[in-house]
Amino acid sequence: MAINRDSNSYTFGFAIVLVVAVGTILSVLAIGLKPQQEKNDIVKKQLDILSAMMDTKAKGISRKNAEEEFKKYVNLDDAIVLDVNGNIKEGVKAFDVDIKKEYKDKNMKDADRNFPLFVAELDGKKAYVIPVVGKGLWGPIWGNICLDEDMNTIKGASFGHKGETPGLGAEIAQPFFINRWIGEKISDENGDFAKFEIVKDGSGSAKESKVDGITGGTITSKGVEEMANRCLKVYSVYFKNSKK
Amino acid sequence: MSDAAVKTKAPSEPLFSKKNKKLVTDPLTDNNPVTIQVLGICSALAITVQVEQGVVMGGAVLFVLILGNLIISLMRNLIPSRIRIIVQLVVVAALVIIVNELLKAFLPDVSEKLSVFVGLIITNCIIMGRFEAFAMANKPWPSIMDAIGNGLGYAGLLILVAIFRELFGSGTLYGFQIFGNSLPGEETGLYTLGYVNNNMMILPPMALIIVGIIIWVQRSRNKSLIEQH
């Protein structure tokens, strides 16, 4: 071969060809697959909301039938969006609000932030599903918290994360951790917000507003605490006002 | 590590010759990428808390290593030597992203499980190590064999470490309760007798200690592995 592989021009040429080729492949792939990925995201959002309300596995709800099942339980016309003071915001569709994106946007004013609230019907009783978002040790964490018809008692929850440590922080998505939240109340007798606290001494199951953390997952557990407190507070104001 | 890398093979060699088989079997035991070459330790620490994570990560690395070794081996006569490391990095990164994008679109559940590993796969030094030490100097077929051997050797060790950590740290194996239910207030099995999980096991230092013990056992059984100083 006549080409000198050590020459500068060959090195540059090779680098340019490689980068352009890889760049083209990746961008074609990303654009081509986007519609399918967005569809998956919507289904995932519906599935997350449903799994906060019930044991989706036991009911046989998966990605395949999430769309139909979601319609059965949740009426999106009843869903509302609150502002940071707990007042209803008109003209915003609850399901279209991307709270993860809003949370990431540090320049967004608190007054502009949207707080969606989904109203569902479960076994003839009303249930309220509140999406929450926060940050764990390595990246974002999120979840949905479902309240009973008294707008106070936590009936169920689902938590998710982007990349918490498997076996440690990632355990927030496991049923044993979620079960520790069930039965906790978000407001006290006066209807004011009752702050949650993640504890390490194992007293969480006995005391109100206290939840046991996860061994080895302290920062992620604390992230869940911060997430629940910041988000639920807004809703507790709305619930207090609407009960009057 | 590099003695096998410089040998070139005659074209008439059968696909499963002794030499090719050795490429697969060596990394499983006496040339294990983790215990002998001591590569890929950081991922061995991070994801050996549960067996399932070890299996997923092992499978992902095996897959990327096979494809990557093949691509690098096919391009080995074209890659300019001065930028070969960058080229290898681009190949791994592109492969991992392509796989991740495809999974996201067609197998979203698997993609969620893998999301945490994507960064770990790209930075895994076993992959770069095999590209540099083997695929750059060998034909595609032996490179694939080498990738299978090293991928399996890595996956095997991850699973071995994870078995110890999950069993003694959480009392489960692949998510199944072995010793009974450990949740406070509803204990069953061994836990009713006062057995408690060793929380130390699920913390990262224990992974290093277990890898250390495995290296020790391996070297005491095969004295030829001990370096002479």
Side-chain angles (χ1 to χ4, degrees):
Chain A
M1 273 208 269
I3 312 164
N4 177 11
R5 282 203 288 134
D6 287 327
S7 74
N8 282 346
S9 49
Y10 180 82
T11 307
F12 272 111
F14 187 89
I16 292 166
V17 169
L18 182 79
V19 168
V20 170
V22 170
T24 316
I25 295 172
L26 289 185
S27 39
V28 166
L29 203 69
I31 294 166
L33 295 174
K34 207 166 184 200
Q36 183 66 34
Q37 291 175 352
E38 276 169 358
K39 208 180 133 221
N40 288 340
D41 286 345
I42 291 174
V43 171
K44 177 72 189 160
K45 201 168 171 181
Q46 293 171 333
L47 198 61
D48 279 348
I49 292 174
L50 286 178
S51 57
M53 291 159 44
M54 62 187 99
D55 186 351
T56 44
K57 251 188 207 151
K59 294 217 174 189
I61 302 174
S62 66
R63 278 179 186 273
K64 277 185 199 127
N65 55 2
E67 228 162 336
E68 301 142 40
E69 295 285 331
F70 186 75
K71 278 185 198 138
K72 267 190 223 165
Y73 292 103
V74 185
N75 186 352
L76 281 179
D77 295 334
D78 291 344
I80 51 169
V81 177
L82 305 177
D83 65 13
V84 74
N85 298 316
N87 301 314
I88 294 180
K89 223 175 178 180
E90 300 292 340
V92 190
K93 277 194 180 153
F95 196 80
D96 295 341
V97 175
D98 190 344
I99 56 165
K100 283 179 207 168
K101 209 169 158 190
E102 287 185 11
Y103 180 73
K104 241 199 251 165
D105 187 355
K106 297 290 172 214
N107 295 323
M108 199 174 187
K109 285 190 201 117
D110 277 348
D112 293 336
R113 291 185 195 273
N114 297 306
F115 295 86
L117 173 65
F118 298 100
V119 184
E121 219 172 279
L122 193 62
D123 308 325
K125 286 201 284 186
K126 278 213 161 146
Y128 301 87
V129 181
I130 300 169
V132 292
V133 62
K135 67 173 197 290
L137 175 59
W138 304 113
I141 53 176
W142 58 84
N144 288 281
I145 293 174
C146 176
L147 300 182
D148 220 337
E149 58 177 351
D150 64 358
M151 300 177 175
N152 191 5
T153 318
I154 294 182
K155 194 182 164 75
S158 64
F159 293 118
H161 62 92
K162 185 157 181 239
E164 297 307 300
T165 322
L168 304 175
E171 300 282 284
I172 57 166
Q174 296 291 330
F176 81 88
F177 181 68
I178 288 161
N179 287 340
R180 294 176 186 172
W181 290 81
I182 294 174
E184 302 283 345
K185 294 195 184 340
I186 69 160
S187 43
D188 57 20
E189 308 88 56
N190 304 323
D192 292 322
F193 182 62
K195 228 175 152 196
F196 287 104
E197 200 189 333
I198 295 275
V199 291
K200 286 184 171 180
D201 55 8
S203 63
S205 52
K207 288 184 186 151
E208 288 228 326
S209 293
K210 285 196 179 176
V211 177
D212 289 325
I214 295 171
T215 311
T218 306
I219 297 177
T220 313
S221 304
K222 282 281 169 194
V224 177
E225 172 192 290
E226 190 271 342
M227 165 169 91
N229 284 334
R230 180 170 36 78
C231 296
L232 291 176
K233 200 174 172 188
V234 174
Y235 295 91
S236 75
V237 179
Y238 168 75
F239 289 140
K240 190 182 176 184
N241 293 337
S242 63
K243 270 190 233 169
K244 268 182 195 163
Chain B
M1 179 174 118
S2 54
D3 57 344
V6 284
K7 283 175 202 157
T8 43
K9 291 186 169 58
S12 60
E13 201 177 315
L15 283 184
F16 291 97
S17 65
K18 223 177 191 174
K19 229 192 251 165
N20 279 346
K21 270 191 200 153
K22 217 167 135 50
L23 288 175
V24 177
T25 52
D26 253 12
L28 295 179
T29 53
D30 287 348
N31 199 10
N32 188 286
V34 183
T35 61
I36 306 299
Q37 301 170 20
V38 200
L39 294 173
I41 290 291
C42 49
S43 51
L45 293 189
I47 46 139
T48 48
V49 176
Q50 288 160 342
V51 175
E52 192 189 353
Q53 312 283 359
V55 173
V56 172
M57 178 71 181
V61 167
L62 181 64
F63 182 77
V64 172
L65 196 52
I66 291 174
L67 270 183
N69 250 4
L70 176 65
I71 291 171
I72 291 287
S73 171
L74 288 172
M75 297 204 304
R76 70 188 185 283
N77 291 329
L78 295 173
I79 300 173
S81 59
R82 273 183 292 176
I83 55 165
R84 65 185 192 282
I85 301 285
I86 302 286
V87 171
Q88 292 160 7
L89 197 63
V90 168
V91 169
V92 197
L95 268 180
V96 173
I97 294 169
I98 290 171
V99 171
N100 192 40
E101 290 284 317
L102 287 171
L103 287 177
K104 242 195 215 162
F106 301 112
L107 292 168
D109 288 323
V110 180
S111 158
E112 268 164 40
K113 270 202 186 115
L114 270 177
S115 65
V116 60
F117 302 119
V118 170
L120 285 173
I121 298 170
I122 296 177
T123 54
N124 194 318
C125 25
I126 293 176
I127 295 182
M128 293 284 287
R130 289 335 287 168
F131 286 3
E132 173 70 6
F134 199 89
M136 283 297 285
N138 285 281
K139 290 202 167 128
W141 179 250
S143 297
I144 292 177
M145 300 301 268
D146 177 73
I148 294 173
N150 279 281
L152 287 179
Y154 173 70
L157 191 99
L158 281 194
I159 294 165
L160 185 64
V161 175
I163 285 173
F164 282 108
R165 292 184 73 192
E166 189 176 347
L167 186 62
F168 296 111
S170 320
T172 57
L173 270 184
Y174 213 88
F176 295 105
Q177 294 174 340
I178 303 293
F179 297 151
N181 193 345
S182 66
L183 285 180
E186 34 189 296
E187 289 100 336
T188 56
L190 262 184
Y191 295 99
T192 50
L193 304 172
Y195 174 81
V196 280
N197 286 326
N198 185 349
N199 281 335
M200 182 77 183
M201 273 294 188
I202 60 176
L203 299 177
M206 247 358 243
L208 260 193
I209 294 172
I210 293 172
V211 172
I213 292 172
I214 293 172
I215 292 177
W216 174 42
V217 170
Q218 192 179 12
R219 289 190 185 206
S220 64
R221 285 168 61 102
N222 185 350
K223 297 268 192 267
S224 66
L225 294 173
I226 302 171
E227 290 93 349
Q228 302 297 324
H229 286 294

